[in-house]
Amino acid sequence: LLSLVAEFCCGFFVILILGNFWFLAVLYLLWLYLDWETPCTGGRRSQWVRNWTIWKYFREYFPIQLIKTSDLNPNHNYLLGFHPHGVLVAGAFGNFCTGPSFKDLFPGLTPYLHIMPIWFGCPFFREYIMSAGMVSASKESVSYVLNNEGGGHASIIVIGGAEESLNAHPGSLTLNILKRKGFIKMALKHGAHLVPVFSFGENELFKQVANPKGSWLRNVQEKLQKIMGFALPLFHARGVFQYSFGLIPYRQPIHTVVGSPIPVKRNLNPTTEEIEQLHELYLEKLRQLFEEHKRNYGIPEHKSLIFE
């Protein structure tokens, strides 16, 4: 979905260059040069954009709901690990970039959804995603958000990243997390409390062409992902007036459950052992969160998370 909107924005920019409005394109390029660091310094959110009526219909389509399990003290900064990535990451966008749900449940906290830096190089599109509260997933950007002296900031990072979207099949509970420890190190360096978040229903929005590990399709997708920086899952769902085929996601409820915070003491130079210990604790709390809530959202008793 992001790719389609980004392509439209890039196409519009090309039209400006080739048409009689090339001077506008030049002015925008100047603006882009001067504004290049903004996605790494907190972005430029617009409450007007975040409250567009279209986002209300977007959330109600599935529907999307944010569930709170514990208070988050606004005197601290937090790093929320979002799982799973899915194809659309609808729960992350719907709950943290639109509407009042997060603000109502966690007063005093400002959410920042971190996404791949590549998206902020797209003309015009970067302005749109920043206005919704998205910022770069670079180390500099995460540090900027978590370095807020008075607390009240929440970094939301989709831990599995683009690679995990290739596992986004209905019923899949496989998370790419065992080798992902950079977010743990960032939490330690800034003393940001860790919060596991699991979005039930995220993998049910699309059907993806079978791509088991080792298959020719998976090998091609992984190679392209390493080259381009983002994955290309081959997915389909429903159409506008029929349910057999199309690119519109299925109407499946998404329940994004925010777990309890894991207190983290600031450590500017954490050792490998300290990072490993906190990573293990995070995995334990994430699994516990899933097990406590899976029955409420249609997950069979015998199914559990798989960490890769």
Side-chain angles (χ1 to χ4, degrees):
L1 184 63
L2 281 176
S3 299
L4 291 175
V5 180
E7 287 175 9
F8 173 81
C9 291
C10 288
F12 179 69
F13 184 69
V14 171
I15 291 174
L16 287 181
I17 294 175
L18 299 179
N20 294 325
F21 302 98
W22 59 267
F23 62 94
L24 292 178
V26 172
L27 287 175
Y28 184 80
L29 286 175
L30 177 60
W31 162 256
L32 193 62
Y33 173 76
L34 296 174
D35 194 56
W36 190 254
E37 296 299 322
T38 301
C40 294
T41 55
R44 187 170 46 250
R45 70 181 56 221
S46 165
Q47 205 58 42
W48 174 68
V49 173
R50 289 168 61 88
N51 289 332
W52 278 352
T53 302
I54 190 174
W55 304 136
K56 175 177 179 290
Y57 293 122
F58 172 79
R59 294 190 303 274
E60 292 177 350
Y61 170 80
F62 298 98
I64 296 174
Q65 185 178 1
L66 187 65
I67 292 93
K68 170 183 175 179
T69 64
S70 176
D71 289 332
L72 298 181
N73 188 333
N75 292 326
H76 300 297
N77 292 316
Y78 297 89
L79 195 159
L80 279 63
F82 184 92
H83 313 270
H85 184 287
V87 171
L88 191 61
V89 205
F93 179 76
N95 287 309
F96 304 120
C97 295
T98 74
S101 295
F102 186 86
K103 182 179 179 181
D104 291 344
L105 292 177
F106 304 104
L109 285 182
T110 302
Y112 295 83
L113 179 59
H114 296 270
I115 64 174
M116 290 185 295
I118 189 174
W119 296 116
F120 296 97
C122 180
F124 301 115
F125 182 66
R126 69 189 295 276
E127 319 303 335
Y128 158 67
I129 56 179
M130 277 197 291
S131 66
M134 297 184 216
V135 292
S136 173
S138 67
K139 291 181 180 179
E140 296 78 12
S141 177
V142 177
S143 292
Y144 183 91
V145 173
L146 296 181
N147 205 33
N148 191 42
E149 290 285 333
H153 281 187
S155 279
I156 297 96
I157 301 177
V158 184
I159 305 299
E163 183 182 356
E164 192 173 86
S165 67
L166 299 178
N167 290 328
H169 296 271
S172 174
L173 295 172
T174 301
L175 303 181
N176 291 67
I177 191 172
L178 291 182
K179 295 181 180 179
R180 297 179 180 264
K181 300 171 185 176
F183 73 103
I184 298 291
K185 188 174 182 179
M186 293 298 291
L188 281 166
K189 291 182 72 172
H190 294 280
H193 295 354
L194 281 167
V195 183
V197 178
F198 196 87
S199 195
F200 292 89
E202 199 74 45
N203 283 340
E204 323 307 318
L205 306 186
F206 296 94
K207 292 179 180 178
Q208 191 172 167
V209 175
N211 60 342
K213 288 197 171 183
S215 65
W216 69 270
L217 176 57
R218 185 61 167 255
N219 290 336
V220 170
Q221 288 175 320
E222 289 177 346
K223 287 179 181 178
L224 289 174
Q225 189 253 322
K226 289 179 181 178
I227 294 172
M228 299 184 298
F230 57 90
L232 292 173
L234 298 179
F235 59 89
H236 65 88
R238 53 162 291 185
V240 179
F241 301 111
Q242 45 78 28
Y243 291 84
S244 57
F245 189 81
L247 295 179
I248 298 176
Y250 293 115
R251 296 192 71 176
Q252 296 288 341
I254 299 172
H255 297 91
T256 303
V257 184
V258 180
S260 300
I262 303 170
V264 177
K265 186 177 180 180
R266 190 173 188 181
N267 183 348
L268 294 177
N269 295 293
T271 64
T272 301
E273 183 180 356
E274 289 169 331
I275 293 172
E276 290 285 350
Q277 288 177 349
L278 185 55
H279 188 257
E280 285 296 323
L281 177 59
Y282 180 85
L283 294 182
E284 179 186 330
K285 294 298 184 180
L286 174 59
R287 190 184 294 280
Q288 181 180 330
L289 177 70
F290 174 81
E291 292 294 333
E292 287 179 355
H293 295 273
K294 67 180 183 181
R295 301 170 192 81
N296 299 332
Y297 307 115
I299 306 294
E301 184 67 32
H302 67 278
K303 288 211 167 189
S304 297
L305 294 178
I306 299 172
F307 296 145
E308 288 188 346

